[in-house]
Amino acid sequence: MSLGTTFAVSLVGLSGHLVEVQAHLAASVPGFTLVGLPDTALSESRDRVRAAIASSGIEWPQRKITVNLSPASLPKAGSGFDVAIAVAMLAGARRISVADPERVVHIGELGLDGRLQSVRGVLPAVAAAVAAGLRDVVVPAQDADEARLVPGARVVGVGSLAEIAALYGAEVPGIVLPSATARPTRSGVARRAEGDLRDVLGQEQARRALEVSAAGGHHLLLVGPPGAGKTMLASRITGILPDLDESEAVEVTAVHSVAGVFDPGQGLIRRPPYEDPHHTATAAAIVGGGSGLPRPGAASRAHRGVLFLDEAPEFGSRVLQTLRQPLEHGELVIHRAAGSARYPARFQLVLAANPCPCGLGIGKGLECSCSPLVRRRYFARLSGPLLDRVDVQVEVRPVSRVDRGGGTDVESSATVAARVAAARAAARARLAGTPWVTNAEVPGTWLRERLGPDPGLLAGIDAALDRGTLSLRGADRVLRLAWTVADLAGRGAPSRGDVGQGLALRTRGHHG
């Protein structure tokens, strides 16, 4: 009887759990049993491991082999355990050193020819291993760059199982193995080029709304006719957002790694991501899903960045309702039969909508051919509870002839980004020691306690509450906007003008 052990990592959402892989070989009828709650893809690793060992020129042990993945109660999914299973088995069969792999984490899928294949989620898996005290990690050569992004990890990138066996002292016949293939290009990997605000003609109010949204992390709704520039404005918001700090960059990169849309050659993702799913997208595509343990959707991939829903009323009502959880809590918990996964989803929501089906019901709506009932029904698809969570709601009017003429005084994204960065720094200094980073996250009670002594400061908000054009939640959001406007102006607290501007940004337009 002999035993070989090594380690792998099981990812549940973004949480990595260390898994001890134990291979027990007994002198009995030859067989191979895998226990410890493996899913279907993991159960198939028995055949992959057998073929990979044979292709590597290593003799298969003719014994009763039992591989246990401990803790046995933790659900395990995917093919990333293949290498660890093969190494534990070879150690148990004394084909390689028994002691060397005991404190090493092995991540990777095996091909039938013995090559190591790239897997998803390498960055959060390696981070979990280092956090658990295991710094030595063996990964496929294609994933080595991604693994090395984790501070403190000692990474070895290998192309084949034969290389790993040689690493642990085995004498491997000099057979020619196919070289490791380059990591395939994944859909969605290319970073989006950020457009410049200088390209937007006119639209002073909408540009101001964009700046305030970026400075305070506020959600934004743009309502206007087709061709007014809503999509162009929304696509430029990431260009005025500040870079992600180190911890945010690691978090965002981990989400994209698990989703399989990360190119390690470009290093950590340091710019806020931008996701713009089509209005035919399903709820699973937006919030995450899939068979087995769910994968992150567009809302999680937009974490610390922007989720843009163009033609928002055209999205299914179920899709829009699923956004209420991440808007409120900054994360998504997805439950499936195989287990639940928790993904961060603290994004800025930007909605663009036509005022009615024909798109011309802006202002007095004299050219609109829709009946009042049709208009109400169309905009009612954006439910009250969802709209109530959107701080900034503005109308985008058609561009006039004067605006089309352009001008040299149009501000660039870099100029606006500098003001946004200064406002964010002021908010961070004020919120130091609290769990909040931006004004959009702060409860109204905390902000009220820090207002100036002016008794009439909130008169405009109180009047809007009395008229019913503002809910209590809306009143708090106006207050948050007022603080952001004050931060942009370099003031220590909001003035009456700032509150008025916050009220205008919140309640402009007939949609309330």
Side-chain angles (χ1 to χ4, degrees):
M1 184 200 84
S2 54
L3 188 70
T5 64
T6 189
F7 284 91
V9 177
S10 174
L11 280 178
V12 181
L14 279 194
S15 304
H17 303 270
L18 219 54
V19 173
E20 187 176 11
V21 182
Q22 306 162 323
H24 178 268
L25 283 78
S28 181
V29 179
F32 192 164
T33 307
L34 183 62
V35 296
L37 229 56
D39 73 343
T40 306
L42 185 45
S43 297
E44 292 170 349
S45 70
R46 290 175 295 194
D47 301 314
R48 288 193 297 272
V49 168
R50 185 192 293 268
I53 286 178
S55 296
S56 301
I58 304 170
E59 186 186 350
W60 179 265
Q62 296 300 320
R63 303 216 234 147
K64 167 70 174 167
I65 303 167
T66 305
V67 175
N68 178 45
L69 308 174
S70 175
S73 59
L74 178 74
K76 300 161 195 79
S79 54
F81 291 82
D82 288 4
V83 175
I85 291 170
V87 168
M89 220 186 67
L90 292 173
R94 302 299 188 263
R95 301 282 193 271
I96 61 174
S97 160
V98 178
D100 290 348
E102 284 184 346
R103 299 292 296 168
V104 180
V105 174
H106 295 84
I107 299 166
E109 177 186 330
L110 284 172
L112 300 184
D113 56 2
R115 280 186 299 137
L116 265 65
Q117 309 286 349
S118 175
V119 291
R120 294 180 176 190
V122 166
L123 188 140
V126 173
V130 171
L134 297 181
R135 297 175 59 190
D136 293 299
V137 187
V138 174
V139 299
Q142 309 97 297
D143 293 327
D145 287 345
E146 183 175 338
R148 290 190 182 105
L149 293 173
V150 179
R154 292 191 289 256
V155 179
V156 177
V158 292
S160 67
L161 183 59
E163 283 183 50
I164 297 177
L167 203 66
Y168 292 129
E171 291 186 14
V172 183
I175 58 173
V176 178
L177 284 164
S179 60
T181 54
R183 189 185 184 113
T185 303
R186 295 173 174 177
S187 59
V189 164
R191 304 276 173 88
R192 190 184 63 88
E194 294 169 345
D196 200 294
L197 267 177
R198 190 176 274 142
D199 305 332
V200 180
L201 301 177
Q203 304 297 6
E204 289 306 314
Q205 291 178 334
R207 286 170 64 101
R208 176 63 174 168
L210 208 67
E211 182 178 336
V212 172
S213 295
H218 306 285
H219 305 307
L220 171 66
L221 168 66
L222 301 167
V223 182
K230 304 186 295 294
T231 306
M232 180 183 264
L233 280 160
S235 66
R236 277 144 180 75
I237 189 168
T238 53
I240 61 175
L241 290 171
D243 286 346
L244 304 176
D245 64 28
E246 196 70 22
S247 63
E248 289 171 343
V250 170
E251 202 175 27
V252 169
T253 307
V255 173
H256 286 241
S257 173
V258 171
V261 291
F262 168 59
D263 179 6
Q266 298 184 32
L268 289 176
I269 298 172
R270 298 191 180 275
R271 292 296 302 144
Y274 178 86
E275 291 286 330
D276 55 345
H278 192 260
H279 60 74
T280 56
T282 62
I286 301 292
V287 300
S291 58
L293 283 172
R295 295 210 179 277
S300 288
R301 294 197 303 273
H303 179 58
R304 302 291 178 192
V306 174
L307 178 65
F308 174 50
L309 303 186
D310 202 2
E311 307 294 348
E314 301 292 344
F315 280 81
S317 59
R318 183 164 167 264
V319 173
L320 295 171
Q321 293 309 315
T322 56
L323 291 175
R324 285 165 62 179
Q325 183 194 28
L327 287 179
E328 204 65 35
H329 305 293
E331 67 174 7
L332 276 159
V333 184
I334 311 163
H335 299 278
R336 293 291 183 272
S340 61
R342 189 181 297 269
Y343 291 112
R346 192 169 291 286
F347 53 82
Q348 249 183 282
L349 179 65
V350 179
L351 304 170
N354 290 336
C356 61
C358 80
L360 300 176
I362 203 81
K364 294 181 179 178
L366 299 178
E367 296 176 27
C368 176
S369 59
C370 306
S371 69
L373 180 61
V374 168
R375 283 196 214 183
R376 273 201 304 275
R377 272 193 190 148
Y378 181 76
F379 220 87
R381 294 180 192 176
L382 297 178
S383 69
L386 176 68
L387 278 186
D388 218 24
R389 289 170 168 83
V390 179
D391 296 4
V392 183
Q393 304 182 16
V394 295
E395 281 190 350
V396 182
R397 298 298 179 98
V399 180
S400 68
R401 187 181 300 171
V402 175
D403 293 329
R404 283 200 300 273
T408 55
D409 58 343
V410 180
E411 285 188 324
S412 66
S413 288
T415 306
V416 179
R419 287 200 299 268
V420 168
R424 287 252 180 153
R428 245 193 327 270
R430 183 171 62 252
L431 299 171
T434 73
W436 313 298
V437 180
T438 59
N439 290 329
E441 305 166 43
V442 186
T445 48
W446 193 91
L447 291 174
R448 276 194 207 90
E449 289 167 3
R450 282 149 185 82
L451 289 175
D454 183 357
L457 190 64
L458 303 181
I461 294 178
D462 293 338
L465 280 169
D466 292 341
R467 286 195 305 271
T469 56
L470 206 60
S471 66
L472 283 170
R473 181 190 278 140
D476 280 352
R477 291 179 187 276
V478 169
L479 200 52
R480 293 173 186 173
L481 288 170
W483 276 96
T484 301
V485 173
D487 287 339
L488 281 167
R491 283 188 281 276
S495 65
R496 288 195 191 195
D498 298 334
V499 173
Q501 203 173 137
L503 204 54
L505 286 167
R506 170 75 186 178
T507 57
R508 184 178 289 123
H510 63 274
H511 48 82

